[in-house]
Amino acid sequence: MKLIHYILAFLLIINIANATYSQEFIIDNEVNVNILINFDNQEAFSFNLELPNDASNLKVLFDNQEKEFQIQNNIVSIYGSAKEIKINYNSDSYIEKAKKNYFTAEVNSLLNEDFGIKVTLPEGATLDKPFTKNLEETSVYPAADDITTNGKNLIITWYYDTSTNEK
């Protein structure tokens, strides 16, 4: 019986190794969080997603078909089989309100894969400091890999290699 468990765990690890992972934060009055996981093929998976205390409107789609999952103690256990997983929820806990608004998040890959993080600022948002590697002298930290615009919004992107354990 233990051999079957080890084989299943090994197959799950192999399946996870063929995935791309990205997380997008679209900031307006609250933050709309979009997580996208694409596997090379139809894959079986199981993972836990920790949500902020104020998370709302959770939607989970497997290959564009909505699935229902229960949130218990701010954790949703997501399991099943699909080629593409889309997860969406809203939260305003990522925005610190002071004299100015700040976006903060600690993001970890759900699948121990390299991943991309994209933050889309609200229309008309500006950054008040230049881009440097010093936390006290910059508007964007850690240093972004790409800063672009779609004509209305600033879009800040980071690409992370999970093998470096970078925070």
Side-chain angles (χ1 to χ4, degrees):
M1 188 67 167
K2 280 187 175 183
L3 180 60
I4 292 172
H5 288 260
Y6 287 124
I7 291 171
L8 289 174
F10 180 72
L11 290 174
L12 184 60
I13 290 169
I14 289 173
N15 289 342
I16 290 174
N18 296 320
T20 58
Y21 177 85
S22 65
Q23 193 159 346
E24 178 180 28
F25 298 87
I26 301 171
I27 303 172
D28 205 358
N29 293 328
E30 62 183 357
V31 178
N32 178 265
V33 180
N34 297 301
I35 299 171
L36 177 61
I37 302 169
N38 279 305
F39 296 102
D40 289 341
N41 300 300
Q42 183 88 6
E43 302 292 345
F45 49 83
S46 177
F47 57 86
N48 292 326
L49 174 62
E50 187 173 352
L51 299 171
N53 291 337
D54 69 337
S56 63
N57 301 323
L58 175 69
K59 289 185 183 176
V60 179
L61 291 94
F62 293 177
D63 299 324
N64 292 318
Q65 298 290 318
E66 191 166 353
K67 302 290 182 182
E68 295 291 327
F69 293 97
Q70 297 298 313
I71 302 171
Q72 294 184 337
N73 299 322
N74 299 332
I75 296 176
V76 59
S77 295
I78 298 174
Y79 53 88
S81 177
K83 186 172 180 180
E84 179 183 75
I85 306 166
K86 293 179 183 176
I87 303 167
N88 178 272
Y89 63 91
N90 296 327
S91 171
D92 62 359
S93 66
Y94 294 108
I95 300 175
E96 293 182 15
K97 303 201 188 250
K99 288 183 180 179
K100 300 177 183 178
N101 290 334
Y102 296 93
F103 170 80
T104 61
E106 183 174 325
V107 181
N108 297 307
S109 177
L110 295 172
L111 301 175
N112 201 27
E113 287 289 319
D114 295 350
F115 64 102
I117 301 167
K118 183 187 294 185
V119 174
T120 303
L121 299 178
E123 186 174 337
T126 60
L127 302 176
D128 62 349
K129 296 180 183 176
F131 304 109
T132 68
K133 292 191 184 270
N134 184 335
L135 176 59
E136 294 173 5
E137 298 174 0
T138 188
S139 289
V140 178
Y141 188 86
D145 292 308
D146 195 18
I147 298 177
T148 59
T149 182
N150 61 10
K152 294 181 181 180
N153 310 85
L154 284 175
I155 302 167
I156 305 165
T157 306
W158 296 265
Y159 302 102
Y160 284 99
D161 175 358
T162 55
S163 65
T164 64
N165 292 319
E166 186 175 14
K167 295 237 182 215

